[in-house]
Amino acid sequence: MAETPLPTRRPRRLRRTAALRDLVRETRWDVGQLIQPLFVREDARTDAAVASMPGVSRHTIEDVAAEAKELEELGLKAVLLFGLPTEKDERGSGAYADHGVVQEALRAIRADAPDLVLFADVCLCEYTDHGHCGAVVDGRVDNDASLDLLARTAVSLARAGADVVAPSAMMDGQVGAIRAALDRSGHPDAIIMGYAAKHASAFYGPFRDAAESAPRFGDRRGYQMDPANAREALLEIALDIEEGADLVMVKPALAYLDVIRAARERSDVPLAAYSVSGEYAMVKAAANNGWLDERAVVTEILTAIRRAGADLIITYHARQVAEWERRKGHGSG
Ligand code: PBG
């Protein structure tokens, strides 16, 4: 009887100890690559808590600066701001008001945390009474009528201290319109992160609870991308880069890792992935039931998003990850 042949190639040799596994690990991430989204409410009577996003709170303008300072001390480099205005109107004027909620939050944070990189979302849906991301003309979201409003919003946010403006309305030409307006108004250094490949996703549900930004009629499928399309995502990314985007983004993240990978292969600007509210809510719900080990799952998700090719990750878990890492005593996972 012939002897059973032993394997010559043994991948398990390199898995034997933690030190060996560390040495050959292909993908790492760092707290400094995570961006924490922050909600700011103008009306102190709005509840701070968001039922569908345990652990996330809607800050007042007064307390958001202290929160940002703590995040900076935890090793985070950047936050992404969203506003809840007291008043909404047809043209979303709160988005480009000089003393709008995000503009005031930017000034407050800048005073307390001067080195933090401040990203501000540029969109109208939190500010319009109809809840759509652009101007509504004859019952439809009008692309070209929205561009000027988005450009005004970006300029107003840059003037208030935003380092990065992040247009998320998915209007064609929005990055170009914003670049031109920033340059004309004396903000040539303001950075643009295009929400280039933003899909019309059901994973945004908890965000719309938090930001009170659900559309009052219809849905966003006329401007956000069909979740079925990856080639079109590459077109959107190429257009944003052509129009002057300094950074581009794929959104959501976990169900779109193939799009992140394709985007990484086709473009050389830094790539962000947005792990959205519904991704956070799923992990929290399971963790709070004791069904998943939250830290292990979050670590694995961040690793997977980095492995797919993202450089930066926007995640509601950023603060918690920074706290976990600080307790562990060193930076990389
Ligand atoms: C604004 C905007 C949305 C998100 C980011 N910017 C909501 C939407 O498009 O409906 C979603 C973020 C998340 O779900 O965490 N247009």
Side-chain angles (χ1 to χ4, degrees):
M1 202 175 73
E3 249 180 74
T4 311
L6 295 177
T8 10
R9 301 302 308 272
R10 289 182 187 267
R12 285 185 54 189
R13 282 188 192 117
L14 294 173
R15 297 179 199 145
R16 231 167 15 84
T17 67
L20 277 168
R21 290 192 294 272
D22 259 6
L23 273 175
V24 300
R25 182 159 303 128
E26 297 175 34
T27 309
R28 295 174 194 278
W29 53 264
D30 188 90
V31 166
Q33 294 168 312
L34 308 181
I35 301 171
Q36 174 73 54
L38 293 175
F39 296 103
V40 192
R41 60 195 155 107
E42 191 166 39
D43 188 341
R45 289 166 304 181
T46 308
D47 271 351
V50 185
S52 53
M53 300 185 76
V56 167
S57 52
R58 297 182 285 196
H59 300 280
T60 59
I61 294 169
E62 290 69 42
D63 68 32
V64 75
E67 171 70 12
K69 178 121 195 84
E70 279 181 44
L71 295 174
E72 191 178 34
E73 283 162 9
L74 279 165
L76 292 166
K77 309 288 180 206
V79 296
L80 168 60
L81 298 179
F82 294 97
L84 284 84
T86 310
E87 305 278 346
K88 301 182 190 244
D89 60 28
E90 204 196 331
R91 291 173 63 81
S93 62
Y96 41 91
D98 274 331
H99 296 281
V101 54
V102 173
Q103 284 82 353
E104 292 299 319
L106 286 164
R107 292 187 186 100
I109 295 172
R110 183 55 82 218
D112 279 14
D115 297 327
L116 204 58
V117 180
L118 306 183
F119 286 63
D121 187 79
V122 177
C123 198
L124 301 181
C125 62
E126 294 111 276
Y127 304 90
T128 48
D129 50 16
H130 46 70
H132 279 289
C133 302
V136 171
V137 178
D138 298 331
R140 295 175 53 92
V141 179
D142 186 302
N143 191 87
D144 298 1
S146 305
L147 295 177
D148 177 52
L149 303 181
L150 294 166
R152 282 169 65 178
T153 302
V155 169
S156 159
L157 293 167
R159 201 184 298 127
D163 298 294
V164 187
V165 292
S168 71
M170 290 301 279
M171 298 298 137
D172 293 336
Q174 62 184 8
V175 170
I178 288 171
R179 184 72 270 159
L182 288 170
D183 292 347
R184 269 199 313 268
S185 62
H187 300 285
D189 287 335
I191 296 161
I192 301 178
M193 175 174 74
Y195 273 68
K198 177 172 179 179
H199 295 83
S201 172
F203 285 102
Y204 306 155
F207 174 97
R208 293 177 193 168
D209 297 339
E212 298 174 346
S213 65
R216 294 283 178 278
F217 66 89
D219 55 44
R220 304 210 201 288
R221 287 181 291 187
Y223 41 104
Q224 297 181 350
M225 281 183 47
D226 187 332
N229 293 359
R231 271 201 314 270
E232 189 189 357
L234 297 178
L235 170 64
E236 284 282 7
I237 287 168
L239 290 173
D240 271 18
I241 294 172
E242 238 170 77
E243 290 175 34
D246 303 286
L247 309 160
V248 291
M249 188 216 285
V250 172
K251 180 182 177 196
L254 201 48
Y256 296 79
L257 294 178
D258 58 321
V259 180
I260 295 174
R261 165 53 44 197
R264 169 72 297 143
E265 280 165 11
R266 290 277 286 274
S267 45
D268 292 326
V269 303
L271 177 65
Y274 196 147
S275 183
V276 300
S277 57
E279 300 178 48
Y280 175 84
M282 287 196 300
V283 172
K284 276 286 172 196
N288 288 346
N289 273 296
W291 297 338
L292 282 179
D293 173 341
E294 185 174 16
R295 182 169 180 181
V297 161
V298 169
T299 302
E300 188 171 329
I301 290 172
L302 294 177
T303 303
I305 295 171
R306 290 272 300 133
R307 194 191 62 230
D311 302 297
L312 306 168
I313 304 174
I314 302 162
T315 168
Y316 299 94
H317 269 109
R319 184 191 172 111
Q320 196 165 8
V321 170
E323 286 171 357
W324 286 329
E325 291 297 308
R326 181 154 78 175
R327 257 174 264 144
K328 191 168 92 181
H330 54 92
S332 245

